Amino acid sequence: MIKKEVLEAINEQINAETYSAYMYLSMSAYFEDMGLSGFANWMKVQYQEESAHAIKFFNYLTERGGRVTLKAVSQVPVDFDGIVDVFEKTLVHEIHVTSLINNLIEVAIKANDHASQSFLKWFIDEQVEEEANVEKILQTLKLINGQGNGIFMMDRELGQRVFVDPNAAA
Ligand code: MG
């Protein structure tokens, strides 16, 4: 049986992952409104990934005999100041999520919960990838410097992104 403090911290994380999903869906809507369907697709895949993270925590708690309790999701931003602003906010958010995962591991360590520490390793690796992906996009956006041709090509590239469900059996 999972300890109360770990259970509570993971329930908080389910809320945080759901917030992330909802925020990226909001960014997708913003890009759709700008006519940037490739950027919108990238954010929609991001939404699916974050939803899958919430489910991964959900399944883990269930497996450990813990009760999942869902809380209200805070209002997400709906207005942004252009493409770069969206990705700068995304990077700030992912760095924040990394700190949440690190705190979660601290809770598991204090509780001497080795199973949770092992489970959380996946998220540590995932956060390294999340931050790197966003940093790469920001770098490209800075090179393009708002030029129409570059944005058009980037929109086509980001439109290729496909969701791979981390919860699907390999
Ligand atoms: Mg996540």
Side-chain angles (χ1 to χ4, degrees):
M1 191 73 177
I2 196 158
K3 281 186 185 159
K4 192 170 171 278
E5 58 268 34
V6 183
L7 172 81
E8 277 171 5
I10 292 182
N11 267 316
E12 284 297 327
Q13 193 61 32
I14 291 174
N15 189 271
E17 299 292 344
T18 306
Y19 175 89
S20 299
Y22 207 44
M23 185 187 79
Y24 291 131
L25 193 60
S26 183
M27 288 169 168
S28 182
Y30 175 77
F31 284 137
E32 287 288 7
D33 191 54
M34 287 176 88
L36 294 168
S37 60
F39 281 90
N41 170 71
W42 195 91
M43 282 299 175
K44 220 170 270 166
V45 172
Q46 198 71 3
Y47 157 79
Q48 289 175 293
E49 279 204 349
E50 300 304 340
S51 300
H53 294 168
I55 293 295
K56 207 173 175 69
F57 280 112
F58 184 111
N59 292 345
Y60 176 70
L61 269 194
T62 306
E63 207 183 335
R64 293 287 310 275
R67 169 82 156 93
V68 173
T69 47
L70 300 181
K71 297 179 183 86
V73 179
S74 303
Q75 176 66 51
V76 292
V78 288
D79 273 315
F80 304 93
D81 193 20
I83 305 172
V84 173
D85 180 49
V86 172
F87 284 96
E88 277 172 348
K89 285 194 165 72
T90 298
L91 183 59
V92 167
H93 182 72
E94 286 305 328
I95 290 168
H96 168 65
V97 173
T98 299
S99 74
L100 292 180
I101 299 290
N102 286 337
N103 291 342
L104 205 48
I105 295 224
E106 285 303 317
V107 174
I109 289 170
K110 276 192 193 121
N112 200 27
D113 183 343
H114 291 268
S116 292
Q117 289 171 53
S118 169
F119 165 76
L120 288 164
K121 281 206 179 85
W122 185 88
F123 284 93
I124 298 273
D125 297 339
E126 177 68 12
Q127 282 312 118
V128 171
E129 207 184 297
E130 292 272 18
E131 285 186 30
N133 287 344
V134 181
E135 269 165 7
K136 191 169 169 266
I137 289 174
L138 270 172
Q139 225 171 17
T140 309
L141 280 170
K142 271 164 197 163
L143 282 173
I144 288 169
N145 198 21
Q147 286 177 14
N149 257 354
I151 297 293
F152 176 76
M153 281 174 68
M154 217 178 151
D155 192 58
R156 285 224 319 222
E157 195 194 315
L158 297 183
Q160 307 289 312
R161 189 183 185 194
V162 188
F163 172 62
V164 181
D165 189 353
N167 297 313

